Amino acid sequence: MKKIKLFVLITLLFGNLLVFAQDIENSKDHPILSRYPGSEIVYYEEQQFKPYKIAVGPVTGYRTIGDWIETEGKETRIYYELKGETTVTEVYRNYMTALKKGAATILASGIFDEANRSKEVGGRSFLETVYITNPAPTNSGIRLNVGSSTSAGSCYIAAVVEKPGAKTYIVIGGAQYSTDIKVFLVDIIEETIMEDDLIQLNADEMLSGIQADGKVALYGLFFDFDKATLQEASNETLEQIAILLKNNSQLNVFVVGHTDMKGSLDYNLKLSKQRAETVVNTLVNKYGISASRLSPEGVGPLSPVSTNIIEDGRKLNRRVELVEK
């Protein structure tokens, strides 16, 4: 029996100070988990808030997996390529050892030493379904689901590390791309919970956002369900908008209403415009702001800042923005 080489990959909950000259610019290992020695980072991406579906069961139909864990949070995606004679099995076993030593709970795992279109966890059909559901940009160069080797083994690991107040998911997919190239995609999702009462900005913070980006998103304006009626809880944010405009007499803004994707497009466009008009009318009639400085507009769901698939994403999309004229 061939003896498997075992390297210490683990940096779980510690850190990684290694530097790899062949890595792409501005990339690095995630602090929670290092790489297999000799691997190079070919693609690297961080997103501060993103939904992610973790497969924990086999393929049950065409591009369908029945068992998923749905989460959202900061996602770090790192794509490694490893050249040489090291096998997919060796890397897989090292990752498994590292995760277990780091007190991770394995949620699902599987490996196939040779080319196999299996729908079971770790098979090629399984991996295709996983990464169709959690896709990478088309120009990423990730070669996980393609390859020419006749001995194209593949593997998959899903794990979670839990600490008080924090939960981190680790998803690893691997395959043999060609005779001497193995590829591994590591996704790390640091779970966060979006609060219902999103941060309310004061006038200075609003101004800073406008100066930096030409606009600022406001989440402190609350409307009755399916109506354009402002709730009393909006008063603090309205007061801060008034202070912003009174302190900056040259500032004129579009007040732009945004909705999530629920309902028809025409309905949401109309509702978002009506809500923007309500904000403008309140600023004019209650706070004495000149109507000539304010223009109400509504774009409905056409400019999302997050997914509309889950409620926390929809909360981010339901907002009013001040856009500098």
Side-chain angles (χ1 to χ4, degrees), residues 56-61 64-67 119-121 126:
V56 292
V59 175
T60 56
T64 301
I65 290 174
D67 295 325
K119 298 178 181 180
E120 297 299 315
V121 173
F126 171 86

Side-chain angles (χ1 to χ4, degrees), residues 93-108:
R93 293 192 180 181
N94 275 268
Y95 273 124
M96 287 288 285
T97 299
L99 291 166
K100 290 176 180 178
K101 285 186 176 180
T105 300
I106 305 300
L107 303 170

Side-chain angles (χ1 to χ4, degrees), residues 210 214-219 221 223 241 252-260 268-280 283 293-305 316-325:
I210 291 173
K215 63 180 182 179
V216 63
L218 306 177
Y219 292 97
L221 297 173
F223 298 88
I241 297 172
N252 301 318
V253 296
F254 295 100
V255 179
V256 185
H258 296 258
T259 68
D260 59 31
N268 281 317
L269 288 171
K270 181 179 179 180
L271 178 62
S272 62
K273 178 67 175 292
Q274 290 174 337
R275 287 179 169 179
E277 290 172 343
T278 298
V279 173
V280 168
L283 290 170
R293 301 177 61 191
L294 306 169
S295 299
E297 301 291 344
V299 297
L302 299 181
S303 184
V305 293
L316 291 174
N317 292 333
R318 296 193 295 265
R319 66 199 189 277
V320 172
E321 290 187 347
L322 302 182
V323 180
E324 186 176 16
K325 287 186 179 181

Side-chain angles (χ1 to χ4, degrees), residues 78-290:
I78 312 173
Y79 169 65
Y80 298 98
E81 292 194 352
L82 174 65
K83 298 178 181 178
E85 298 181 356
T86 303
T87 65
V88 171
T89 300
E90 289 175 290
V91 180
Y92 168 83
R93 293 192 180 181
N94 275 268
Y95 273 124
M96 287 288 285
T97 299
L99 291 166
K100 290 176 180 178
K101 285 186 176 180
T105 300
I106 305 300
L107 303 170
S109 63
I111 183 167
F112 291 84
D113 292 328
E114 297 182 353
N116 195 316
R117 299 290 302 174
S118 175
K119 298 178 181 180
E120 297 299 315
V121 173
R124 284 283 187 166
S125 293
F126 171 86
L127 291 180
E128 288 176 2
T129 304
V130 169
Y131 294 111
I132 287 171
T133 305
N134 301 292
T138 55
N139 62 349
S140 65
I142 294 174
R143 302 189 286 185
L144 180 58
N145 280 334
V146 295
S148 58
S149 175
T150 57
S151 58
S154 59
C155 65
Y156 176 84
I157 305 170
V160 61
V161 177
E162 296 189 68
K163 298 183 69 179
K167 183 181 291 186
T168 301
Y169 290 98
I170 302 164
V171 178
I172 303 168
Q176 187 162 336
Y177 170 73
S178 63
T179 303
D180 65 341
I181 299 177
K182 273 65 62 177
V183 299
F184 295 89
L185 184 58
V186 177
D187 290 333
I188 297 176
I189 306 94
E190 300 167 65
E191 188 175 87
T192 57
I193 300 174
M194 300 299 294
E195 299 295 337
D196 289 346
D197 52 344
L198 293 164
I199 296 173
Q200 298 187 21
L201 304 179
N202 62 35
D204 290 338
E205 291 166 332
M206 292 178 191
L207 181 61
S208 295
I210 291 173
Q211 290 175 334
D213 302 317
K215 63 180 182 179
V216 63
L218 306 177
Y219 292 97
L221 297 173
F222 305 98
F223 298 88
D224 289 345
F225 180 69
D226 270 356
K227 296 181 180 179
T229 306
L230 275 166
Q231 298 177 359
E232 188 175 345
S234 305
N235 289 343
E236 181 178 345
T237 295
L238 290 166
E239 290 171 2
Q240 293 300 315
I241 297 172
I243 292 171
L244 166 72
L245 294 170
K246 289 176 179 178
N247 289 348
N248 299 273
S249 58
Q250 301 303 310
L251 177 62
N252 301 318
V253 296
F254 295 100
V255 179
V256 185
H258 296 258
T259 68
D260 59 31
M261 197 68 74
K262 285 189 171 182
S264 70
L265 176 60
D266 288 344
Y267 175 82
N268 281 317
L269 288 171
K270 181 179 179 180
L271 178 62
S272 62
K273 178 67 175 292
Q274 290 174 337
R275 287 179 169 179
E277 290 172 343
T278 298
V279 173
V280 168
N281 291 336
T282 303
L283 290 170
V284 171
N285 297 325
K286 184 175 180 179
Y287 295 95
I289 305 300
S290 172

Side-chain angles (χ1 to χ4, degrees), residues 46-52 71-76 189-195 305-307 310-316:
E46 287 184 2
Q47 294 197 42
Q48 292 302 313
F49 184 80
K50 183 180 179 182
Y52 192 97
T71 185
E72 64 269 346
K74 178 182 178 181
E75 182 197 53
T76 303
I189 306 94
E190 300 167 65
E191 188 175 87
T192 57
I193 300 174
M194 300 299 294
E195 299 295 337
V305 293
S306 186
T307 177
I310 59 176
E311 177 56 26
D312 284 335
R314 291 192 290 270
K315 288 177 186 174
L316 291 174

